[in-house]
Amino acid sequence: MSHAHPELSVVIPVYNEEAGLQSLYDRLYPALDQLGTVYEVIFVNDGSRDRSAALLREQFQRRPDVTRVVLLAANAGQHMAIMAGFEQCRGDVVVTLDADLQNPPEEIGKLLDAVRAGHDYVGSIRRQREDALWRSVASKSMNRLRERITRIKMTDQGCMLRAYRREIVEAMLDCKEVNTFIPALAYTFAHQPTEVVVEHEARSAGESKYSLYSLIRLNFDLMTGFSVAPLQFFSLLGILVSMLSVVTYVGVIIHRLFNHEVTGLIDVIWDRDILAFFLIGLVLFGQGILGEYVGRIHMQVRYRPRYRIGTILESPAVSTSSEDASTLPASRPTLQP
Ligand code: UDP
Ligand code: MG
């Protein structure tokens, strides 16, 4: 009964959301039916400790035609849970949504329209955030800092209501890195990204799963995962400090020679403060060089694909790959000794 190729997959991570799941179903399914397209909903239970998993099983029994449920064995984090959903989804367009109704499901149509208009990545901007004030302020300033460091343009990084074309999702699945930030990762693969303004609501039930600590961790994932600029900052600083110390040192020696402040050679070249300054510069510089190497290791171990080919234009006669070379028809000219 279920369609192998829905147009739309909605991926929803669920972590301890028992109090809000029913109201989510009540709004989500009618909103999706309204779209008049073939869809599937993929719930990923991220190792909830409450009754969420049982509720999701029930929902699966109620709507098996359009519902799929992935139960993770343990809590893996929101972004990893979404990845698990990506692995299972079959739609041409994949939308991510939070389970707490902060992102109104009625907005999915807007995102879908933007994808249909040709965009492969549709981000969203919350018109009016309904979160604690400290969250809004902190996230605005982190957003700005992050944009400068990573050069990823997202007006509102925290909003997870986003749509991706299937190719983008597949590109993300090719990335084997463990810690990641999905909207940013998707952005690195997007050709035609755009953003739409969406509504935002207060949590329907329960409370935020993010403490200040986990938010800070998440921002580190974002910054270190998409840039080595923080490492490079220190090597540049080190170079600057050590250069400055040499210049000052030379300046001081000249000054002393001309002012006859000193008697012996040792007095001319010995200056503890400047020496310390120089050594600090040297240490920073060394640390910076180390950072450069660490940065390269860091990039390498993420095993992101080097590139992704969109299309290759070539005539069929020359198109062959090494595996099927053995199955070529005999008439085809081959290079044989
Ligand atoms: N979530 C998850 N795993 C976690 C933390 C959160 O799957 O470890 C889910 C959660 O159930 C919700 C979404 O991620 O659907 C966003 O979480 P939350 O609403 O707590 O974040 P906030 O809106 O406060 O940023
Ligand atoms: Mg929320």
Side-chain angles (χ1 to χ4, degrees), residues 13-15 17 46 75 77-78 81 97-100 102 131 135 203 207-210:
V14 176
Y15 180 55
E17 302 282 4
D46 187 15
N75 181 250
Q78 180 185 0
L97 186 76
D98 285 351
D100 56 3
Q102 286 200 275
D131 274 317
R135 281 273 315 251
R203 234 176 188 285
E207 48 192 48
S208 172
K209 306 298 177 289
Y210 283 100

Side-chain angles (χ1 to χ4, degrees), residues 31-102:
L32 292 175
D33 288 332
Q34 283 269 304
L35 297 176
T37 182
V38 182
Y39 67 86
E40 63 174 3
V41 183
I42 299 173
F43 292 100
V44 184
N45 176 48
D46 187 15
S48 300
R49 287 164 216 282
D50 64 359
R51 292 181 47 247
S52 298
L55 294 176
L56 291 175
R57 276 175 202 275
E58 277 172 34
Q59 180 59 18
F60 170 68
Q61 267 140 30
R62 236 172 283 144
R63 294 297 305 272
D65 53 331
V66 288
T67 307
R68 301 167 70 204
V69 179
V70 179
L71 302 175
L72 297 186
N75 181 250
Q78 180 185 0
H79 292 257
M80 291 305 107
I82 293 173
M83 278 291 193
F86 282 168
E87 233 155 56
Q88 304 301 324
C89 70
R90 297 177 290 208
D92 298 325
V93 182
V94 183
V95 167
T96 56
L97 186 76
D98 285 351
D100 56 3
L101 282 177
Q102 286 200 275

